[in-house]
Amino acid sequence: MIVAVDGPAASGKGTIAKALGRHYGLPVLDTGLLYRAVGLSVLKAGGDPDHEEDALAACGFDDGTLADPALRSEAVGSLASRVSVHQSVRDALVQRQRDFAMQPGGAILDGRDIGTVIAPDADAKIFVTASVRVRAERRFQDALSHGGHPDMDSLIADIQARDTRDMSRDHAPLRQADGADLLDTSDLTIEAAVQRAIALVDAQLEGRASGVTR
């Protein structure tokens, strides 16, 4: 059982993916962490994330890097968006993601190209989104809770820039996969969004079991 959860930054896809993992008893991979690890590795090496060779060289990061708290920062998130435009970087990380998806029992993967590239034959697909204003507010509140001093205008600009990069890149652009259900979390509580996601996944699984194609 493979479930693909895609969507833009701060849409709630990570929270939903973790909740689905708990509900179905499946391991969860935040594939964005892989790109964040590449971005952070480029930064530490003094390289340029916009330079493909520098970004590719950083793809050999140690697994321990995935546990680095610095990966969760807004700055590293921006770096991840920049290194992800390189086809060679995406190619280097594809097999790692597919191996996780194909483990016995299945898995939940969240990212930006799970349903379109990594696991196009996933048993269930969800595309999670929310308005730019709502996503910026979530980032704002998260930064405050960690003692930061965020600027709303800067957060909005950053999210818009990341959306543009992710949706317009030549390789594996962010888009709703064929057969994926749209889940807009703009006006939903976390609990409501999770319950809606579970209902959508259950409906897709039931459809597959009954032989109904969408």
Side-chain angles (χ1 to χ4, degrees), residues 4-16:
V5 183
D6 289 306
S11 60
K13 66 181 183 297
T15 298
I16 288 172

Side-chain angles (χ1 to χ4, degrees), residues 78-154:
S78 180
L79 290 174
S81 180
R82 290 163 65 184
V83 300
S84 69
V85 303
H86 304 307
Q87 180 62 51
S88 60
V89 170
R90 306 196 70 83
D91 289 343
L93 299 178
V94 162
Q95 196 57 51
R96 195 169 187 166
Q97 297 170 71
R98 287 180 174 162
D99 288 344
F100 188 92
M102 297 304 294
Q103 62 185 293
I108 312 287
L109 289 84
D110 88 75
R112 286 170 171 75
D113 64 348
I114 308 304
T116 56
V117 176
I118 303 302
D121 295 322
D123 299 282
K125 304 176 187 178
I126 301 176
F127 189 85
V128 185
T129 190
S131 69
V132 170
R133 171 63 64 172
V134 167
R135 289 189 282 142
E137 179 63 30
R138 290 170 181 169
R139 289 290 195 228
F140 185 88
Q141 294 300 329
D142 183 62
L144 285 180
S145 68
H146 288 86
H149 300 85
D151 175 75
M152 179 61 79
D153 290 338
S154 295

Side-chain angles (χ1 to χ4, degrees), residues 58-78:
C59 288
F61 62 84
D62 184 88
D63 284 347
T65 303
L66 297 176
D68 191 330
L71 294 183
R72 300 294 182 179
S73 72
E74 284 297 313
V76 174
S78 180

Side-chain angles (χ1 to χ4, degrees), residues 126 181-184 188 191-201:
I126 301 176
D181 282 318
L182 181 66
L183 175 54
D184 191 326
L188 298 177
E191 294 76 11
V194 168
Q195 290 306 308
R196 178 60 179 155
I198 291 173
L200 291 173
V201 171

Side-chain angles (χ1 to χ4, degrees), residues 8-31:
S11 60
K13 66 181 183 297
T15 298
I16 288 172
K18 291 175 184 175
L20 291 175
R22 291 191 295 270
H23 181 79
Y24 295 107
L26 294 173
V28 179
L29 175 63
D30 175 357
T31 63

